[in-house]
Amino acid sequence: MVYVTRKSHFSASHRLYNPTFSDEKNDAIFDKCNNLHGHGHNYVLEVTVKGLPDPSTGYVIDLKQLRDIIELEIIDKVDHKHLNYDVPFLEGIIPTAENIAVIFWSILEKSIPMGTLHSVKLYESDNNFVEYFGEPVNIPNFKAEEVLS
Ligand code: NI
């Protein structure tokens, strides 16, 4: 297997809170991330596809094609947006890096034309990042069918 990764960037704001919690509980759990009008991150997204290089091209996946898919399916929809309000596929979802990575996976998995999606890695900052490999995850309010339709 050969693992091929495309790195992309986007900037977005979000607010972490659970509407079923009291204000006090949201403050206790999410602290500064619960700021009423949100806060921003310069996110870094790394998408890794695995496979065997095609004997005729030497490619697992054409990285230009992977770049275009990530731009079209993800970056164009989240860059310079407020993730709580502006992104239909994140509606009703607490926009932690964990949840965002899982949802990005579900979108990309169906769009990758060659090879197999291996991981989605999402950096919220230099020091904080999450990585997801496609195991089943339950995210309240996330309906994969709607995201993909
Ligand atoms: Ni944040």
Side-chain angles (χ1 to χ4, degrees):
M1 277 294 169
V2 182
Y3 296 75
V4 176
T5 300
R6 170 71 191 181
K7 183 191 279 195
S8 316
H9 302 82
F10 64 96
S11 299
S13 52
H14 70 170
R15 178 190 179 201
L16 301 185
Y17 73 107
N18 185 327
T20 69
F21 292 169
S22 66
D23 289 348
E24 294 72 25
K25 189 171 178 182
N26 271 308
D27 271 335
I29 291 175
F30 297 114
D31 193 37
K32 286 196 292 188
C33 297
N34 179 41
N35 181 51
L36 182 59
H37 296 293
H39 63 276
H41 294 283
N42 293 316
Y43 289 93
V44 178
L45 172 65
E46 292 180 8
V47 175
T48 301
V49 173
K50 66 182 172 187
L52 298 172
D54 182 296
S56 64
T57 63
Y59 285 161
V60 171
I61 182 170
D62 183 337
L63 273 166
K64 293 187 297 298
Q65 218 179 338
L66 182 58
R67 175 198 65 197
D68 290 347
I69 289 164
I70 295 167
E71 287 291 323
L72 182 72
E73 300 291 341
I74 306 283
I75 304 298
D76 288 352
K77 294 174 179 171
V78 296
D79 190 31
H80 288 71
K81 297 292 169 60
H82 194 305
L83 302 179
N84 298 74
Y85 305 115
D86 299 332
V87 182
F89 62 72
L90 293 175
E91 205 178 314
I93 287 160
I94 302 173
T96 58
E98 291 90 327
N99 285 348
I100 296 168
V102 171
I103 290 165
F104 284 180
W105 171 288
S106 74
I107 294 168
L108 290 168
E109 191 189 22
K110 301 290 184 288
S111 311
I112 302 291
M114 286 171 279
T116 307
L117 186 58
H118 172 68
S119 66
V120 170
K121 195 168 182 178
L122 184 64
Y123 288 79
E124 246 184 19
S125 68
D126 288 344
N127 297 326
N128 296 340
F129 62 91
V130 306
E131 204 166 5
Y132 178 58
F133 298 95
E135 299 93 337
V137 175
N138 175 37
I139 298 176
N141 299 324
F142 175 49
K143 298 178 191 72
E145 322 78 58
E146 288 180 21
V147 168
L148 299 169
S149 61

